Amino acid sequence: MRFDPWNPEFVAHPYDVYRALRDHDPVSFFEPTGQWLVARHADVNTLLRDRRLGRSYLHVASHEEFGRQAEPEFQEPFWRVIRAGMLDVEPPVHTRLRRLVSKAFTPRMVESLRPRVRAIATGLAEEFAERGGGDLLAEVAEPLPVTVIAEMLGVPEADRHLLRPWSADICGMYELNPSDEVQHTAVRAAAEFSGYLRELARARRDRPGDDMISALAQVVDEGDRLTEDELIGTCVLLLNAGHEATVNVTGNGWWSLFRNPGELDRLRADPGLLPTAVEELMRWDTPLQMFERWVLEDVEIGGVRIPRGVEVALLFGSANRDPEVFDDPDRLDVSRADNPHISFGAGIHFCLGAPLARVELVESFGALLRAAPKVELAEEPAWKPNYIIRGLESLKVAV
Ligand code: HEM
């Protein structure tokens, strides 16, 4: 098999292809997307920190100057939201936006949320166990991070059911060469989501609550520190990034444990392993398989010269199985101590929510292990067709 992100077989089993790439073709051109694939951990890690590459090029050149076409007009509402969030801008704007919200995500702040996260996780797990199981993904994995990030931002409970579909539709655009239909759906979702948040933020500016949207809405009023579009872009980013990957790590993680029953038994016997287990589950089956960067100045990667103006695709899933960095990389080891996985990225865009994700995951796995020590797979799960944001359709289990 070859690297083929549109082939469900590849999406289900990408790791043999990655091994071949690392061994024989660590930097290779991928014709269908015009990108350079980068497969080794050392290269991925270095490039994420290299400022000659960027998530965007618009801070140094226009589309035309960079030799690219502007996006079609109909996509404007999508890019307006996405390019107003920190993930798709570079310094100095990135530095300003990230600083405004980073205080809420320090390990100390996040640790103070742990009791609340544990209470939600325990409630979900106990109800799930009482029902005798069901779809672990929809009933346990999804509601926890959605509830946590919605509470932090201050999205009213009655509206929370809107977040997941908007987010999923927006994320469709992140897959490689999305279809026309996926593009239109993403644009519509971005427009609806931003319209909703604009109204909510305006209401909170007049009547602030004890939440992040209220706090950010005050900053908009203070002058030039945050525009209203940036406020919307920040909230959309936090709400989406704040749950998409965490949901998939929970689902993929349980599926990994079911396929490695010896490791599941070790975890049952010693819940003290949860923190290393969570890191290992994120490494072994990487939830976000690839991230892209634009080359802003010519670079050389592993002896290959990559010119300005093209895109590199950093294969996180491959980097996380690189034997140069991980002992016996294809083995799942819930007690793996030395685990410099790249699943949260590196460099200036390193995941802002990593401390929160870790708390959520440890609490989620811990709660279900306590409430349903005998949880077992009821049905072989299927992967969604998505490659970049890789996750299961559902995960049916019995308790
Ligand atoms: C296990 C779950 C998660 C994974 C695997 C993950 C992964 C990542 C990765 C790889 C990036 C960097 C992308 C790049 O460099 O191109 C990133 C950025 C980001 N993540 Fe996460 N994330 C997770 C959970 C969260 C949570 C819970 C939040 C909470 C709000 C969050 C918020 C963000 C934000 C705001 C950024 C942009 C940071 C920046 O551009 O400076 N993430 N995440």
Side-chain angles (χ1 to χ4, degrees), residues 245 248 285-291 316-317 343 387-390:
N248 286 333
D285 209 357
T286 308
L288 300 162
Q289 287 280 319
M290 162 202 283
F291 276 93
F316 282 28
S343 298
Y387 164 65
I388 293 188
I389 303 179
R390 182 161 168 276

Side-chain angles (χ1 to χ4, degrees), residues 64-110:
E64 295 71 31
E65 284 161 356
F66 209 65
R68 318 291 311 181
Q69 279 185 338
E71 293 87 11
E73 188 69 25
F74 82 90
Q75 291 183 1
E76 197 276 336
F78 178 87
W79 292 109
R80 183 167 167 199
V81 181
I82 299 306
R83 294 209 175 109
M86 75 186 88
L87 182 56
D88 283 272
V89 290
E90 294 292 311
V93 180
H94 173 264
T95 322
R96 174 169 55 83
L97 294 179
R98 185 158 171 136
R99 195 178 293 140
L100 277 172
V101 289
S102 58
K103 274 199 235 73
F105 293 97
T106 59
R108 208 166 126 234
M109 271 305 286
V110 166

